[in-house]
Amino acid sequence: MLKSAKTVTSCIFFTIALVAAPVLEAQQAKWEKAPPAPVPAPILTSKKAFISNAGGDVDISPDHYSGGRDRAYNQFYAAIKGWGRYELVPGPCDADLILELHFTALSGAASIFSRSGGVEQRPQFILVILDLKTHAVLWSFTEYLDKAKPHSTHDQQFDQAIDRIADDLKDLASRPAATADGEKK
């Protein structure tokens, strides 16, 4: 009797899998076939950018990160200047685009899986791209520092996260222009 129950159960699971597979495939196909939405034109067409040092909600303490309070701004500025896509201007009034860089460590509930309890810090960089004329947020990116790494690699994690946030912008601004219906120009 036990063998028969296992067979029935196996048949039920097999039938569910056969029925669910086309439904899941159709749902997946829906997002895969969606045309890419256009990147906001100012990101693609702007020539001048102002980098805003929006700081963060934590002090960059020397026991965590070297380089002082302006390290993130300085490194991001150097990465974007070296890229050469945008002319970096000294004031927002001279820019077409504002790149607002934040460094923050948000508090949140500790992972129940780590059994550590308490509160954990989630250091992250946030880059917000603003249109100067409308002050509308055109795009934003968040890159986290790898908190699972040992304390001795904090500076390396900082560098890698800055590189990733700069690369996010480079990838976005290098996309071909697309129309509202998804066709590329």
Side-chain angles (χ1 to χ4, degrees):
M1 181 145 183
L2 184 60
K3 190 173 187 179
S4 175
K6 285 183 181 180
T7 304
V8 169
T9 303
S10 296
C11 287
I12 291 171
F13 282 124
F14 181 72
T15 303
I16 291 171
L18 284 176
V19 170
V23 172
L24 293 175
E25 187 177 314
Q27 288 176 347
Q28 182 179 10
K30 188 175 185 178
W31 67 263
E32 285 179 342
K33 292 179 183 176
V39 174
I43 295 172
L44 302 174
T45 61
S46 293
K47 303 291 183 213
K48 297 178 181 182
F50 173 74
I51 297 178
S52 170
N53 183 4
D57 66 352
V58 294
D59 286 329
I60 298 180
S61 59
D63 61 330
H64 281 90
Y65 310 104
S66 60
R69 298 181 67 91
D70 296 332
R71 177 181 174 184
Y73 172 75
N74 293 337
Q75 283 184 236
F76 182 74
Y77 190 97
I80 300 307
K81 185 173 183 160
W83 175 35
R85 168 69 173 77
Y86 300 114
E87 175 190 344
L88 299 182
V89 295
C93 292
D94 301 323
D96 305 315
L97 210 56
I98 296 175
L99 308 175
E100 187 177 275
L101 182 67
H102 303 258
F103 176 69
T104 186
L106 300 175
S107 296
S111 169
I112 59 171
F113 300 109
S114 69
R115 297 188 176 135
S116 60
V119 175
E120 65 180 284
Q121 296 292 313
R122 300 202 57 203
Q124 62 188 344
F125 289 104
I126 302 169
L127 177 64
V128 179
I129 304 171
L130 300 158
D131 179 54
L132 179 67
K133 293 176 184 102
T134 64
H135 301 286
V137 174
L138 301 174
W139 211 276
S140 69
F141 298 103
T142 302
E143 289 290 348
Y144 295 92
L145 280 70
D146 187 356
K147 61 186 173 68
K149 301 279 183 168
H151 182 77
S152 62
T153 63
H154 283 188
D155 279 331
Q156 182 180 8
Q157 294 169 48
F158 192 100
D159 294 343
Q160 291 169 347
I162 281 285
D163 289 344
R164 286 192 312 270
I165 204 107
D167 288 345
D168 290 341
L169 174 61
K170 292 174 187 178
D171 290 344
L172 179 66
S174 299
R175 289 185 192 173
T179 61
D181 62 2
E183 290 185 30
K184 295 185 178 162
K185 290 183 182 179

